[in-house]
Amino acid sequence: QVELVESGGGLVQAGGSMRISCVASGNIRSIDVPGWYRQAPGKQRELVAGFARNGNPVYVDSVKGRFTISRDNAKNTVYLQMNSLKPEDTAVYFCSADVIHYGDDRPYHYWGQGTQVTVSS
């Protein structure tokens, strides 16, 4: 089994910055298409940023130029650097990934438990 654990959320003022992290642990041979999603109260979960299968980062339009996704494969960690934060960025942020286990070629999809990001105006 695999566990994804997010950290680094909290309260920040509008215009500020925050970096959240997601560490994967367990039976991991490789991690594919890791990404960050968010869900605000009363809204559907949406993709914020992720890595496509070609390795290129993709972003939702509302965060382009402000957020940057990165990864450290040696540490099985994905980061989301968030700059120029706005109150509308307030949400629970979840990481997700497809994981290939040792001894199995099939990808399994995992979600983290989420970390709250609150941007005050």
Side-chain angles (χ1 to χ4, degrees):
Q1 281 290 36
V2 169
E3 187 178 27
L4 304 182
V5 179
E6 301 97 335
S7 62
L11 176 65
V12 65
Q13 287 189 331
S17 297
M18 179 180 289
R19 188 178 81 160
I20 55 179
S21 304
C22 174
V23 179
S25 62
N27 180 3
I28 300 170
R29 190 176 82 190
S30 66
I31 297 175
D32 292 337
V33 294
W36 286 97
Y37 290 72
R38 67 186 178 188
Q39 187 166 21
K43 294 188 176 181
Q44 289 189 335
R45 190 173 297 189
E46 66 170 351
L47 174 66
V48 177
F51 286 101
R53 295 201 179 277
N54 62 9
N56 292 334
V58 294
Y59 301 93
V60 67
D61 286 347
S62 60
V63 308
K64 285 180 180 177
R66 300 189 298 122
F67 290 13
T68 302
I69 189 172
S70 61
R71 63 190 297 180
D72 185 335
N73 292 331
K75 296 181 178 179
N76 289 331
T77 300
V78 179
Y79 305 96
L80 186 66
Q81 177 67 42
M82 303 180 289
N83 299 328
S84 302
L85 282 160
K86 304 175 180 181
E88 51 263 42
D89 294 318
T90 295
V92 178
Y93 284 70
F94 300 88
C95 69
S96 77
D98 287 347
V99 177
I100 309 296
H101 300 151
Y102 287 104
D104 190 339
D105 291 333
R106 295 169 295 177
Y108 292 84
H109 191 72
Y110 291 91
W111 288 92
Q113 83 290 348
T115 186
Q116 176 70 47
V117 173
T118 302
V119 184
S120 63
S121 57

